[in-house]
Amino acid sequence: MLYYYCNRFKDSNTIVMLPGDFVAPSTLSSLDGGVAMIDMMNRAGVQYVTYGNHEADIPHAELIKRIGESKFKWINSNMQSIDLGPDLAKQPEFDVVTVKSADGSHERKVGIIGVNTADPGLYRPNSFNGCHIDPVLETANKLQKMLHAEPYGCDTVVPMTHQVQLSLSLPLSVCPQLTVPMTHQVMADDRAMAEVTTFPVFIGAHDHDPFNEVVDGTHVRSVFFFSFFSSSSPSSFSSSSLLLSF
């Protein structure tokens, strides 16, 4: 299904994300260290990922290899001290993508961030080779402010949180500046984060159950595997469970 949607919308403003927990856990990954998962995601056309706690399940040396084999971009907003060895470049805290409406009349800059849960109860000792994980809320707020300001001037910031997705219906021509985080934390933490931030939506994947809620005006949605941002209409900003349109 992922391959189908990636190819169906590959010529539109489609952003395919996976907010963590893909290298592991699985029986196959316990045998091959996530080789098959990265190969499948490369073939399917995934574009952006962030870390989840289960990326620390495989040996760190194997994780570094999987990152090197990835054709998609790893967004690492709150684990910048991670040791990637001598051959890999430092991972970006964010990315900025320019999208246009189907009729070309509207253009917006979309900032993408990715934050992984800092809950120590989810990690074995020395996970990620002892990498420090910065607080999710502090990191997301800092990057939201930075990306909305110049020189980036983002209209939208999409946060991968390891558990949420957007559901809005606004004319793009009057769409306010907004930040949408990809998070990887438990649903309770996303709800608490929604109460004290101005993000319109969270895109997450840590919980293993579906959620679709509105908390103080913020849409909090748990998606099991991927999220799409696509251009299917000239001036709308709407969504289904998988597709968001500019």
Side-chain angles (χ1 to χ4, degrees):
M1 186 167 64
L2 177 60
Y3 179 83
Y4 168 77
Y5 278 112
C6 287
N7 282 272
R8 179 180 177 184
F9 296 100
K10 66 181 179 180
D11 296 325
S12 65
N13 292 326
T14 303
I15 303 173
V16 186
M17 302 177 175
L18 207 172
D21 284 4
F22 48 90
V23 169
S26 73
T27 302
L28 180 58
S29 288
S30 69
L31 299 173
D32 72 357
V35 170
M37 282 299 300
I38 298 300
D39 180 58
M40 180 277 293
M41 291 165 62
N42 285 340
R43 292 169 184 263
V46 172
Q47 294 164 279
Y48 292 97
V49 302
T50 193
Y51 290 95
N53 54 295
H54 284 295
E55 268 62 61
D57 287 359
I58 64 173
H60 193 70
E62 289 298 308
L63 177 60
I64 292 174
K65 291 179 183 178
R66 300 296 86 78
I67 294 171
E69 294 161 3
S70 304
K71 295 180 180 179
F72 42 84
K73 184 171 290 188
W74 290 67
I75 302 297
N76 174 7
S77 299
N78 67 329
M79 292 173 50
Q80 281 289 297
S81 65
I82 191 169
D83 177 12
L84 297 177
D87 299 324
L88 294 183
K90 187 176 182 179
Q91 293 167 328
E93 291 182 89
F94 61 88
D95 198 15
V96 177
V97 178
T98 299
V99 296
K100 291 184 178 181
S101 59
D103 64 358
S105 62
H106 299 295
E107 184 176 288
R108 293 290 184 265
K109 288 185 178 180
V110 179
I112 300 171
I113 66 175
V115 287
N116 183 25
T117 176
D119 182 353
L122 295 174
Y123 298 102
R124 300 183 181 93
N126 205 40
S127 289
F128 294 117
N129 209 28
C131 169
H132 174 73
I133 303 178
D134 295 326
V136 168
L137 180 58
E138 179 182 312
T139 301
N141 277 333
K142 177 190 74 173
L143 291 176
Q144 180 185 34
K145 292 176 182 177
M146 184 181 76
L147 289 171
H148 280 317
E150 296 299 333
Y152 305 106
C154 289
D155 301 282
T156 302
V157 180
V158 181
M160 292 184 285
T161 65
H162 196 71
Q163 112 214 339
V164 287
Q165 185 174 353
L166 177 60
S167 177
L168 293 176
S169 182
L170 296 171
L172 184 60
S173 57
V174 298
C175 183
Q177 288 190 339
L178 52 102
T179 302
V180 185
M182 259 195 312
T183 66
H184 192 106
Q185 56 187 358
V186 295
M187 191 67 177
D189 289 342
D190 273 347
R191 290 190 187 105
M193 189 172 168
E195 292 173 353
V196 296
T197 65
T198 59
F199 294 117
V201 62
F202 292 159
I203 299 176
H206 180 68
D207 278 319
H208 296 181
D209 297 307
F211 290 93
N212 183 13
E213 303 179 5
V214 179
V215 180
D216 283 358
T218 295
H219 293 254
V220 181
R221 185 174 295 180
S222 171
V223 292
F224 288 110
F225 194 58
F226 49 84
S227 305
F228 291 93
F229 289 77
S230 70
S231 174
S232 59
S233 60
S235 61
S236 69
F237 188 35
S238 60
S239 75
S240 68
S241 59
L242 296 178
L243 295 174
L244 304 179
S245 303
F246 290 97

